[in-house]
Amino acid sequence: MPASITEENYLKAIYLISLQGNGKIPNLAIAQQLEINPATVTEMLRKLAEKKWIQYTRTEGASLTQEGQILALKVIRKHRLWETFLVQKLGFSWDEVHEVAEQLEHVQSEKMLDQLDQFLGYPRFDPHGDPIPNALGQIPRSDAYLLSDCKAGDKKTFVGVANQSQSFLQYLDKVGFKIEDSIEVEEITDFDKSMHVILNGEKRSVFSARVCQSLLVV
């Protein structure tokens, strides 16, 4: 029997939190990720543990089993493929697609998913720069790191966002900065670590430290 929508949401949340290197994931972190009441989390985690999709104790928290991780990656694969489809084929902007993909990620047809992947040309990254797991659950390697880790004189390519909030994506649209654009760090202000940058070899701008900590480059 396939996982329910709620179960898939939990598995995906645990996987995404685990990417931060936190080991066992506490109930509160899961509740915050899902934006739900912490009191409702314990019972669902017990159900997931009974199905062997997670390892869980109330004192230590939860971690995915191998089977649970496979299920989580399938949900993430669907979500990111749908985001790619919505942007590339239906003209959605990158700040509009998350909520729609949240609904579409629970469609269970493996055939449709494989054909969607083929139709899109087997993309490796979604519109936000996140890697798309393939049909085997393998995740494309990314060497991206934060712009804030760069130094003056560095010339980089913008490949993704660490902050996918609607307000930040709209800010980048207003600045006119998009995936695969070039960026050169002209100067870093000692006082607040803001960066004076040149975008695409011509447009000068100043990015705050917060913005620099939200941009991924290679």
Side-chain angles (χ1 to χ4, degrees), residues 21-41:
N22 294 330
K24 293 280 189 178
I25 312 302
N27 291 22
L28 180 59
I30 297 169
Q32 291 173 339
Q33 179 78 16
L34 294 172
E35 298 181 348
I36 58 177
N37 189 324
T40 66
V41 172

Side-chain angles (χ1 to χ4, degrees), residues 11 64-76 136-137:
L11 294 172
L64 294 173
T65 62
Q66 183 176 6
E67 185 178 356
Q69 179 165 310
I70 289 171
L71 290 173
L73 286 171
K74 282 184 178 180
V75 179
I76 290 168
L136 300 176

Side-chain angles (χ1 to χ4, degrees), residues 5 8-9 12 74-87 90 92 96-110 112-113 116:
I5 291 176
E8 287 187 338
N9 286 337
K12 183 178 73 168
K74 282 184 178 180
V75 179
I76 290 168
R77 167 175 157 80
K78 286 186 283 187
H79 183 100
R80 294 176 180 175
L81 281 173
W82 281 119
E83 285 193 336
T84 304
F85 174 77
L86 291 166
V87 170
L90 295 188
F92 281 70
E96 295 177 315
V97 295
H98 179 74
E99 290 187 2
V100 181
E102 286 278 291
Q103 301 170 50
L104 294 170
E105 71 185 23
H106 300 294
V107 175
Q108 294 297 329
S109 173
E110 293 287 343
M112 184 181 69
L113 185 64
L116 176 64

